Amino acid sequence: MTRTKGDPSALRAHNRQTILNHLRQLGPVSRTQLVELTGLSSAAITGITAELIEDQLLTEQSTGEAGISGGRRPIYLGIKYSAHYAVGLKLREDRIEGVLTDLSTHVLAHLVEDLTIHDPLQVAVQIHTLCSKLYRHARIDADHVIGIGIALSGVIDALHGTVVHAPLLGWHDVPLAPLVRKCTGLPTHVDNDVNSLAAAERLFGHGKQTSHFLTVALGRGLGGALVLGGELHRGRQGGAGEFGHNLAVPDGRLCSCGRRGCLEAYVAEPALLAQFQAQHPDLSSSVTTIPALVALAESHPGAAGLLRRAGQLLGTHLSYLVNTINPELIIIAGEGTRLGPLFFDSLRKAVHESAFDCLGDDLPIVIDIWPDDDFTPWARGAASLAVQCAFDFGTLAKGGDMVHR
């Protein structure tokens, strides 16, 4: 978002953003504390917080205790998370997973619908219908919905809301955000699904107090998202983080992208199952799921060895990213978080041993374990794409798109 130096409206929006993000990170504080935290004058804090209360972004939540010398008790301000809503949608090749959340991305309603037609305009129409169903399920006023976030696998131009390349849907240069906005009348934000997870972690998750972190999504595929200086780093074409397609084994296993030897072809869940079944054909009919493979690994040396080697391989490649960006934190999410201690103990060891000098020492690696068959983290991450605009721009984005900075 471009701001003109000295532009009063831009300065006011920046100050609103500053106040909202302090409250998001710290919780309720008084106006006096906001003066100390932000460096703004008392008059500025009074005026801006009055605007935010009028916009139903802030509320006076409680009264603190008076100081030792008496005087008025301070009034604490907090974000009014329940006053506005966002829709989050995860697009897969065969279905749409949707949630409706409040501004804290707490899920209020969720739905799954089959996706049988990939025509972009028809998908936009289906999204409009699904949104209406979510509003009815949650019994909320659609006028309080601030926007829609859509997450999908592929290379996404988030600035313009264009799907540059989504192989699973067969899409190239699809202006998805404008299509959905035209159907729904709501600001629409489209991004890579792993970026959406990182956005959620940045707002309210493990990365809430962290400026530089890496989110890794492991499951059917493997991808990463970078938050650097508190901002998502998307790269020139929105393709930053596709380290799952780095070469791991020259002329190795065939990857879903059509190339051979990609890291994903050795550590993603389908790849792990395929490797085990090829190595142990006598067990291929009984080991068809990741939970079955993890359970068998407790007593089967072949399964245990496969998980250890895969964890070590992923950890080694993560160490290259540690050497490159020096993150404060690594968060691993996705369905693959169920791979268990054999996999993740090997991963942690490889990161710490392979990273240069001290870069891997005491580096937190959080395994954000997902419940089995729970789609809501993906869709909730998508909702955060819309929610973050309220915090990044200091205002609600009703009636038009606001792009990410």
Side-chain angles (χ1 to χ4, degrees):
M1 180 171 131
T2 303
R3 292 192 176 104
T4 304
K5 186 175 181 181
D7 180 356
S9 63
L11 180 60
R12 199 160 197 83
H14 174 72
N15 291 340
R16 286 167 63 106
Q17 169 199 349
T18 299
I19 290 170
L20 286 171
N21 278 298
H22 273 96
L23 291 168
R24 174 180 61 83
Q25 291 179 312
L26 301 175
V29 299
S30 68
R31 289 176 176 83
T32 301
Q33 289 172 314
L34 281 174
V35 170
E36 297 171 356
L37 289 166
T38 65
L40 297 172
S41 69
S42 296
I45 290 293
T46 298
I48 294 169
T49 55
E51 289 179 4
L52 291 169
I53 290 172
E54 185 177 354
D55 290 345
Q56 296 191 63
L57 281 168
L58 292 189
T59 183
E60 294 181 340
Q61 292 189 344
S62 60
T63 304
E65 294 183 1
I68 296 175
S69 58
R72 294 179 60 184
R73 294 183 175 185
I75 297 173
Y76 288 96
L77 298 169
I79 295 171
K80 196 171 183 179
Y81 290 111
S82 62
H84 305 281
Y85 310 99
V87 172
L89 304 169
K90 162 72 169 174
L91 288 191
R92 300 183 185 268
E93 69 273 21
D94 60 347
R95 66 186 186 273
I96 304 177
E97 301 162 349
V99 297
L100 184 114
T101 78
D102 63 14
L103 282 188
S104 73
T105 67
H106 171 69
V107 175
L108 304 173
H110 56 88
L111 289 172
V112 180
E113 287 191 352
D114 292 338
L115 183 65
T116 57
I117 299 174
H118 289 174
D119 174 73
L121 181 56
Q122 292 299 314
V123 172
V125 171
Q126 184 173 350
I127 285 172
H128 174 50
T129 303
L130 191 150
C131 288
S132 298
K133 293 177 182 177
L134 285 168
Y135 305 157
R136 291 197 297 272
H137 276 246
R139 298 180 180 178
I140 61 101
D141 185 345
D143 289 341
H144 293 285
V145 178
I146 64 169
I148 300 170
I150 303 174
L152 65 159
S153 175
V155 178
I156 313 297
D157 179 355
L159 184 66
H160 299 100
T162 299
V163 179
V164 178
H165 181 49
L168 295 177
L169 293 168
W171 286 356
H172 297 273
D173 297 322
V174 172
L176 184 59
L179 287 173
V180 173
R181 182 187 66 231
K182 186 175 181 180
C183 287
T184 64
L186 286 170
T188 302
H189 315 271
V190 180
D191 210 335
N192 173 270
D193 49 8
V194 188
N195 282 347
S196 75
L197 291 181
E201 293 288 358
R202 169 183 170 260
L203 284 174
F204 303 110
H206 297 287
K208 183 177 178 180
Q209 305 291 345
T210 307
S211 296
H212 314 285
F213 67 90
L214 168 65
T215 299
V216 176
L218 176 62
R220 184 172 66 172
L222 173 67
L226 306 173
V227 172
L228 303 176
E231 302 285 348
L232 267 168
H233 174 74
R234 295 181 175 86
R236 180 171 64 91
Q237 296 173 309
E242 291 288 353
F243 83 109
H245 298 291
N246 288 350
L247 182 65
V249 179
D251 198 29
R253 299 186 74 253
L254 183 65
C255 180
S256 61
C257 72
R259 302 189 304 169
R260 289 192 173 274
C262 293
L263 178 62
E264 181 178 299
Y266 289 88
V267 304
E269 289 191 341
L272 291 171
L273 287 173
Q275 289 174 90
F276 181 80
Q277 291 166 354
Q279 295 164 8
H280 304 278
D282 55 317
L283 295 172
S284 60
S285 61
S286 59
V287 181
T288 59
T289 66
I290 288 297
L293 178 63
V294 172
L296 182 65
E298 296 179 5
S299 59
H300 191 284
L306 175 65
L307 291 176
R308 288 194 185 98
R309 289 191 299 274
Q312 181 181 29
L313 182 62
L314 179 54
T316 300
H317 279 259
L318 285 176
S319 75
Y320 304 155
L321 292 175
V322 170
N323 292 347
T324 304
I325 64 173
N326 190 21
E328 301 169 72
L329 171 69
I330 296 175
I331 303 165
I332 300 180
E335 296 84 356
T337 53
R338 59 187 171 176
L339 286 170
L342 289 172
F343 182 93
F344 288 111
D345 287 351
S346 297
L347 180 150
R348 284 193 171 96
K349 183 178 179 182
V351 170
H352 295 151
E353 290 182 350
S354 300
F356 174 71
D357 198 14
C358 62
L359 299 186
D361 294 351
D362 301 319
L363 173 64
I365 301 176
V366 176
I367 314 301
D368 191 5
I369 296 176
W370 288 8
D372 288 343
D373 302 320
D374 184 5
F375 69 83
T376 54
W378 288 113
R380 177 176 171 266
S384 73
L385 298 174
V387 169
Q388 73 176 357
C389 286
F391 295 100
D392 286 354
F393 294 88
T395 188
L396 300 177
K398 293 182 179 180
D401 284 333
M402 277 194 171
V403 296
H404 304 310
R405 290 179 296 169

